[in-house]
Amino acid sequence: MSVVIDHRPGKQTNPDPVKPRRDPAPSRLKYRLERMWLKPLYRRTLRVGLPAFLIAMVAGIWLSDEDRRAILKDGVTSVVTQIQSREEFQVHSMTIEGASPVVERAVQGMLPVDLPASSFDINLPALRIQVMQLDAVESIDLRVKPGGVLSAVVKERVPAILWRRTRGIEILDRGGHRVASVTSREVRPELPLISGDGADLVTEEALNLFDAAGPILPRVRGLVRRSERRWDLVLDHGQTIMLPAKGAVVALEAAIALDRAEDLLARDITTVDLRDPSRPVMRLGLDARNTIRDARSLPVLGPDGNPVDDKT
């Protein structure tokens, strides 16, 4: 405390009042708020969460009225319609590539698109699924090209084999998928013929057998599936080569090699049984059997396979 002394006679001033110094430390509330502000979650809540909550609350209150919702829906629908109806989004024509005339007409019938139409109204995945129901179509690429053109690039199945079944003759591709039906084999005589239950499931093996039968292919009439496990190769003149369930191609190649060496299939043989490749069996024809029986002085056989009495 300082005292000011007035040297004039009879006077003395009062001392100056003491001014309290300001405490630099923050208050407890301010300290806690500053500590909370250092937390990322707290900052995100105030900067993002609180405004989002307020906006959602206001929007919810506004949309709680049914008339307002209807007005908003109509407005959005109107804007979307105006955008989708613009000329740059219109499809005016359709092109089909890679399809034969018959398949092209079928694809056109499977694409019920009324043109012109907005590209937003054309459901390409649904149309593709619909076109894939055609047996002759292996794949199709549907897309809207610039200029308002709906392009359909079709890949057809390649006919590879004929399958005779109880309900008729089917054309199959190499994978066994149906391509079309025909009334008779003469419609596609260039295609090999298979028959029997389950033959369509092993068309790849059948085609390999036809390839292996190249040297005698003009004599081949077809392949018959037996018990859904093995093949019989049917030739002209009533001859049959019975193939094993496993290793059929190798067994057929062996039979063809034997035929080229010994002229086997030119003889009076009705069946070459190769079901056991280690023990092939050949069934002779009637004339060959009668020749052997005659050499042994045995009665000849008739067409029914029974001995014929010469006296009768």
Side-chain angles (χ1 to χ4, degrees), residues 108-288:
Q108 289 178 346
M110 299 290 286
L111 294 176
V113 179
D114 296 329
L115 302 179
S118 174
S119 59
F120 293 96
D121 296 332
I122 300 176
N123 191 340
L124 295 180
L127 292 177
R128 182 183 181 277
I129 294 175
Q130 192 168 355
V131 174
M132 289 300 295
Q133 295 177 3
L134 296 173
D135 293 325
V137 176
E138 181 177 354
S139 64
I140 182 170
D141 181 19
L142 283 173
R143 63 182 62 188
V144 177
K145 291 185 175 181
V149 178
L150 176 60
S151 173
V153 180
V154 179
K155 182 180 179 182
E156 293 188 34
R157 299 190 185 278
V158 180
I161 202 167
L162 296 177
W163 177 35
R164 187 189 299 276
R165 53 191 307 196
T166 56
R167 293 184 293 178
I169 300 178
E170 308 285 354
I171 301 178
L172 308 178
D173 67 356
R174 195 171 186 88
H177 296 280
R178 181 182 179 276
V179 177
S181 299
V182 293
T183 55
S184 64
R185 186 179 183 181
E186 285 70 22
V187 177
R188 298 297 298 268
E190 75 281 3
L191 297 179
L193 178 67
I194 59 176
S195 64
D197 295 336
D200 60 319
L201 303 178
V202 283
T203 53
E204 188 73 28
E205 182 184 20
L207 291 172
N208 292 335
L209 288 172
F210 282 116
D211 292 338
I216 60 172
L217 194 59
R219 295 191 55 193
V220 174
R221 292 294 174 264
L223 282 168
V224 180
R225 190 69 173 169
R226 299 297 187 185
S227 302
E228 299 187 25
R229 56 183 299 271
R230 66 171 197 85
W231 295 101
D232 280 352
L233 182 69
V234 180
L235 306 177
D236 57 1
H237 307 309
Q239 291 182 321
T240 301
I241 300 178
M242 304 173 68
L243 301 172
K246 296 182 179 179
V249 174
V250 176
L252 179 58
E253 291 175 346
I256 293 176
L258 183 61
D259 174 64
R260 299 182 70 176
E262 302 292 340
D263 203 16
L264 176 67
L265 299 177
R267 303 175 184 274
D268 188 15
I269 296 175
T270 60
T271 303
V272 179
D273 189 348
L274 300 177
R275 288 176 292 180
D276 184 0
S278 63
R279 188 180 179 184
V281 177
M282 286 173 285
R283 183 178 301 170
L284 300 178
L286 182 61
D287 293 339

Side-chain angles (χ1 to χ4, degrees), residues 50-93:
L50 183 59
F53 173 76
L54 294 175
I55 293 174
M57 183 178 65
V58 173
I61 295 174
W62 191 86
L63 293 175
S64 61
D65 185 76
E66 185 175 355
D67 295 336
R68 292 173 183 169
R69 291 199 304 268
I71 294 173
L72 179 62
K73 182 179 179 180
D74 294 340
V76 172
T77 303
S78 177
V79 172
V80 171
T81 303
Q82 291 178 4
I83 295 176
Q84 294 180 353
S85 300
R86 293 176 64 90
E87 180 62 27
E88 53 265 31
F89 298 126
Q90 294 296 308
V91 178
H92 299 280
S93 60

